[in-house]
Amino acid sequence: MNPKPSRRIAVDRESLIIDVRRQLDAPSRRLFGKRILTLGGLAMLSGCSLSDNASVEAFLSRVSRMNDKVQAWLFDPNRLAPTYTKAQITRPFPFNAFYGIDEVTVVNGDDFRLKVGGLVREKKSWTLDELYALPKAEQITRHICVEGWSAIGRWGGTPFAGFLQRIGADTTAKYVGFRCADDYYESIDMATALHPQTLLTFTYDGERLPPKYGFPMKLRMPTKLGYKNPKHIMELFVTNTYPGGYWEDQGYNWFGGS
Ligand SMILES: Nc1nc2c(c(=O)[nH]1)N[C@H]1C(S)=C(S)[C@@H](COP(=O)(O)O)O[C@H]1N2
Ligand SMILES: [Mo]
């Protein structure tokens, strides 16, 4: 494994500062009155002194939590992300993970079972054939990675809202969490889980999802940044207890809207 946390955190610190500035510029922020719309003002709001590294970290993480709330509040469950044509697909579509492509996780599909748990009526595990038999949907959308690239890809699978309904998920719960075959883990807000473009995907460009793109399945959300889209999902659960995420627990913003 070749983790690259320091670079990722540096990028995130910059993106947080960009977020802060964007929030300062956002018309909705004028609600708070022009005069406190400065970094110092935000520091005051968040109760942080910004006097040393630790307090800067605390400040950024509180801004990030405020940012989660603002993003959740601004999220429109009916607004669709742009879609594209087959001719616009990026080829080759990039691979990314917290390790290199030579270390891609290979899951054996034969004895695979998707574990489903938490606040659901039906805690049964799913074979791939059962999942492949679910209602189908496809999308060509843009995937945006905070490492500085974006690409258009084509994913096929089943609408996640329908799947949640089928397993009797408590859709008034706050989060859906994911555990992956490669130590990655993620969680998303219920509004995004129920968004019509959120798909549990099993194919990439019409072919079975190859290991590099997340076999056996990837949750694809064009309304979220790349790191929010878990690959190699082994288990999912519905919960009201904040589950965090692989990069979020190292400082990334949790809501991660795109
Ligand atoms: N299981 C798992 N899912 C993951 C990651 C990972 O390292 N492991 N990386 C995330 C990040 S940062 C990105 S940009 C996308 C990359 O998906 P791709 O390889 O299909 O481009 O996967 C996301 N989901
Ligand atoms: Mo990413």
PDB file of all heavy atoms in Angstrom, residues 77-92:
ATOM      1  N   PRO A  77     -33.279  17.990  -3.355  1.00  0.00           N
ATOM      2  CA  PRO A  77     -33.417  16.570  -3.715  1.00  0.00           C
ATOM      3  C   PRO A  77     -33.977  16.361  -5.118  1.00  0.00           C
ATOM      4  O   PRO A  77     -33.900  15.261  -5.655  1.00  0.00           O
ATOM      5  CB  PRO A  77     -34.374  16.010  -2.654  1.00  0.00           C
ATOM      6  CG  PRO A  77     -35.025  17.177  -2.017  1.00  0.00           C
ATOM      7  CD  PRO A  77     -34.102  18.352  -2.190  1.00  0.00           C
ATOM      8  N   ASN A  78     -34.538  17.424  -5.713  1.00  0.00           N
ATOM      9  CA  ASN A  78     -35.109  17.262  -7.055  1.00  0.00           C
ATOM     10  C   ASN A  78     -34.207  17.784  -8.164  1.00  0.00           C
ATOM     11  O   ASN A  78     -34.518  17.644  -9.336  1.00  0.00           O
ATOM     12  CB  ASN A  78     -36.464  17.980  -7.138  1.00  0.00           C
ATOM     13  CG  ASN A  78     -37.444  17.417  -6.140  1.00  0.00           C
ATOM     14  OD1 ASN A  78     -37.591  16.196  -6.043  1.00  0.00           O
ATOM     15  ND2 ASN A  78     -38.071  18.288  -5.364  1.00  0.00           N
ATOM     16  N   ARG A  79     -33.104  18.424  -7.769  1.00  0.00           N
ATOM     17  CA  ARG A  79     -32.231  18.984  -8.800  1.00  0.00           C
ATOM     18  C   ARG A  79     -31.306  17.899  -9.342  1.00  0.00           C
ATOM     19  O   ARG A  79     -30.652  17.198  -8.586  1.00  0.00           O
ATOM     20  CB  ARG A  79     -31.419  20.141  -8.242  1.00  0.00           C
ATOM     21  CG  ARG A  79     -31.105  21.153  -9.338  1.00  0.00           C
ATOM     22  CD  ARG A  79     -30.343  22.332  -8.804  1.00  0.00           C
ATOM     23  NE  ARG A  79     -29.017  22.310  -9.373  1.00  0.00           N
ATOM     24  CZ  ARG A  79     -27.941  22.744  -8.757  1.00  0.00           C
ATOM     25  NH1 ARG A  79     -28.013  23.227  -7.539  1.00  0.00           N
ATOM     26  NH2 ARG A  79     -26.785  22.696  -9.364  1.00  0.00           N
ATOM     27  N   LEU A  80     -31.263  17.795 -10.676  1.00  0.00           N
ATOM     28  CA  LEU A  80     -30.464  16.738 -11.292  1.00  0.00           C
ATOM     29  C   LEU A  80     -29.098  17.262 -11.725  1.00  0.00           C
ATOM     30  O   LEU A  80     -28.985  18.387 -12.219  1.00  0.00           O
ATOM     31  CB  LEU A  80     -31.199  16.159 -12.505  1.00  0.00           C
ATOM     32  CG  LEU A  80     -32.545  15.481 -12.207  1.00  0.00           C
ATOM     33  CD1 LEU A  80     -33.146  14.912 -13.487  1.00  0.00           C
ATOM     34  CD2 LEU A  80     -32.402  14.383 -11.152  1.00  0.00           C
ATOM     35  N   ALA A  81     -28.080  16.433 -11.539  1.00  0.00           N
ATOM     36  CA  ALA A  81     -26.749  16.751 -12.047  1.00  0.00           C
ATOM     37  C   ALA A  81     -26.778  16.616 -13.572  1.00  0.00           C
ATOM     38  O   ALA A  81     -27.587  15.850 -14.105  1.00  0.00           O
ATOM     39  CB  ALA A  81     -25.732  15.777 -11.455  1.00  0.00           C
ATOM     40  N   PRO A  82     -25.910  17.350 -14.282  1.00  0.00           N
ATOM     41  CA  PRO A  82     -25.899  17.253 -15.752  1.00  0.00           C
ATOM     42  C   PRO A  82     -25.581  15.833 -16.214  1.00  0.00           C
ATOM     43  O   PRO A  82     -24.830  15.112 -15.552  1.00  0.00           O
ATOM     44  CB  PRO A  82     -24.754  18.191 -16.168  1.00  0.00           C
ATOM     45  CG  PRO A  82     -24.407  18.996 -14.971  1.00  0.00           C
ATOM     46  CD  PRO A  82     -24.909  18.274 -13.768  1.00  0.00           C
ATOM     47  N   THR A  83     -26.164  15.450 -17.345  1.00  0.00           N
ATOM     48  CA  THR A  83     -25.817  14.161 -17.961  1.00  0.00           C
ATOM     49  C   THR A  83     -25.219  14.433 -19.338  1.00  0.00           C
ATOM     50  O   THR A  83     -25.375  15.529 -19.890  1.00  0.00           O
ATOM     51  CB  THR A  83     -27.050  13.240 -18.093  1.00  0.00           C
ATOM     52  OG1 THR A  83     -28.044  13.925 -18.844  1.00  0.00           O
ATOM     53  CG2 THR A  83     -27.619  12.884 -16.714  1.00  0.00           C
ATOM     54  N   TYR A  84     -24.530  13.442 -19.882  1.00  0.00           N
ATOM     55  CA  TYR A  84     -23.749  13.634 -21.102  1.00  0.00           C
ATOM     56  C   TYR A  84     -24.063  12.528 -22.110  1.00  0.00           C
ATOM     57  O   TYR A  84     -24.766  11.567 -21.796  1.00  0.00           O
ATOM     58  CB  TYR A  84     -22.260  13.647 -20.743  1.00  0.00           C
ATOM     59  CG  TYR A  84     -21.917  14.739 -19.755  1.00  0.00           C
ATOM     60  CD1 TYR A  84     -22.028  14.518 -18.383  1.00  0.00           C
ATOM     61  CD2 TYR A  84     -21.541  16.009 -20.184  1.00  0.00           C
ATOM     62  CE1 TYR A  84     -21.752  15.517 -17.454  1.00  0.00           C
ATOM     63  CE2 TYR A  84     -21.266  17.018 -19.272  1.00  0.00           C
ATOM     64  CZ  TYR A  84     -21.375  16.767 -17.914  1.00  0.00           C
ATOM     65  OH  TYR A  84     -21.110  17.767 -17.006  1.00  0.00           O
ATOM     66  N   THR A  85     -23.502  12.680 -23.311  1.00  0.00           N
ATOM     67  CA  THR A  85     -23.708  11.672 -24.363  1.00  0.00           C
ATOM     68  C   THR A  85     -22.538  10.682 -24.353  1.00  0.00           C
ATOM     69  O   THR A  85     -21.478  10.968 -23.779  1.00  0.00           O
ATOM     70  CB  THR A  85     -23.751  12.328 -25.754  1.00  0.00           C
ATOM     71  OG1 THR A  85     -22.454  12.890 -26.016  1.00  0.00           O
ATOM     72  CG2 THR A  85     -24.806  13.427 -25.816  1.00  0.00           C
ATOM     73  N   LYS A  86     -22.727   9.554 -25.027  1.00  0.00           N
ATOM     74  CA  LYS A  86     -21.659   8.545 -25.099  1.00  0.00           C
ATOM     75  C   LYS A  86     -20.386   9.133 -25.705  1.00  0.00           C
ATOM     76  O   LYS A  86     -19.278   8.776 -25.293  1.00  0.00           O
ATOM     77  CB  LYS A  86     -22.122   7.336 -25.910  1.00  0.00           C
ATOM     78  CG  LYS A  86     -23.030   6.432 -25.103  1.00  0.00           C
ATOM     79  CD  LYS A  86     -23.353   5.136 -25.847  1.00  0.00           C
ATOM     80  CE  LYS A  86     -24.306   4.297 -24.993  1.00  0.00           C
ATOM     81  NZ  LYS A  86     -24.905   3.171 -25.709  1.00  0.00           N
ATOM     82  N   ALA A  87     -20.552  10.054 -26.661  1.00  0.00           N
ATOM     83  CA  ALA A  87     -19.389  10.641 -27.326  1.00  0.00           C
ATOM     84  C   ALA A  87     -18.555  11.490 -26.360  1.00  0.00           C
ATOM     85  O   ALA A  87     -17.375  11.743 -26.614  1.00  0.00           O
ATOM     86  CB  ALA A  87     -19.841  11.490 -28.515  1.00  0.00           C
ATOM     87  N   GLN A  88     -19.159  11.914 -25.267  1.00  0.00           N
ATOM     88  CA  GLN A  88     -18.447  12.782 -24.312  1.00  0.00           C
ATOM     89  C   GLN A  88     -17.725  12.009 -23.216  1.00  0.00           C
ATOM     90  O   GLN A  88     -17.054  12.612 -22.375  1.00  0.00           O
ATOM     91  CB  GLN A  88     -19.446  13.768 -23.675  1.00  0.00           C
ATOM     92  CG  GLN A  88     -19.963  14.816 -24.656  1.00  0.00           C
ATOM     93  CD  GLN A  88     -21.086  15.644 -24.042  1.00  0.00           C
ATOM     94  OE1 GLN A  88     -22.165  15.125 -23.723  1.00  0.00           O
ATOM     95  NE2 GLN A  88     -20.841  16.931 -23.861  1.00  0.00           N
ATOM     96  N   ILE A  89     -17.839  10.687 -23.219  1.00  0.00           N
ATOM     97  CA  ILE A  89     -17.188   9.870 -22.185  1.00  0.00           C
ATOM     98  C   ILE A  89     -15.673  10.057 -22.257  1.00  0.00           C
ATOM     99  O   ILE A  89     -15.096  10.087 -23.348  1.00  0.00           O
ATOM    100  CB  ILE A  89     -17.569   8.375 -22.354  1.00  0.00           C
ATOM    101  CG1 ILE A  89     -19.071   8.190 -22.079  1.00  0.00           C
ATOM    102  CG2 ILE A  89     -16.742   7.482 -21.432  1.00  0.00           C
ATOM    103  CD1 ILE A  89     -19.598   6.787 -22.386  1.00  0.00           C
ATOM    104  N   THR A  90     -15.028  10.199 -21.102  1.00  0.00           N
ATOM    105  CA  THR A  90     -13.569  10.364 -21.030  1.00  0.00           C
ATOM    106  C   THR A  90     -12.911   8.999 -21.198  1.00  0.00           C
ATOM    107  O   THR A  90     -13.209   8.068 -20.452  1.00  0.00           O
ATOM    108  CB  THR A  90     -13.184  10.946 -19.655  1.00  0.00           C
ATOM    109  OG1 THR A  90     -13.931  12.140 -19.438  1.00  0.00           O
ATOM    110  CG2 THR A  90     -11.692  11.246 -19.576  1.00  0.00           C
ATOM    111  N   ARG A  91     -12.027   8.881 -22.168  1.00  0.00           N
ATOM    112  CA  ARG A  91     -11.348   7.597 -22.413  1.00  0.00           C
ATOM    113  C   ARG A  91      -9.844   7.782 -22.430  1.00  0.00           C
ATOM    114  O   ARG A  91      -9.368   8.637 -23.157  1.00  0.00           O
ATOM    115  CB  ARG A  91     -11.815   7.014 -23.753  1.00  0.00           C
ATOM    116  CG  ARG A  91     -13.303   6.707 -23.738  1.00  0.00           C
ATOM    117  CD  ARG A  91     -13.732   6.066 -25.055  1.00  0.00           C
ATOM    118  NE  ARG A  91     -15.180   6.102 -25.209  1.00  0.00           N
ATOM    119  CZ  ARG A  91     -16.007   5.240 -24.611  1.00  0.00           C
ATOM    120  NH1 ARG A  91     -15.543   4.297 -23.837  1.00  0.00           N
ATOM    121  NH2 ARG A  91     -17.311   5.338 -24.794  1.00  0.00           N
ATOM    122  N   PRO A  92      -9.084   6.989 -21.655  1.00  0.00           N
ATOM    123  CA  PRO A  92      -9.616   6.032 -20.692  1.00  0.00           C
ATOM    124  C   PRO A  92     -10.093   6.768 -19.445  1.00  0.00           C
ATOM    125  O   PRO A  92      -9.530   7.792 -19.074  1.00  0.00           O
ATOM    126  CB  PRO A  92      -8.413   5.150 -20.363  1.00  0.00           C
ATOM    127  CG  PRO A  92      -7.229   6.044 -20.573  1.00  0.00           C
ATOM    128  CD  PRO A  92      -7.604   6.996 -21.680  1.00  0.00           C
TER     129      PRO A  92
END
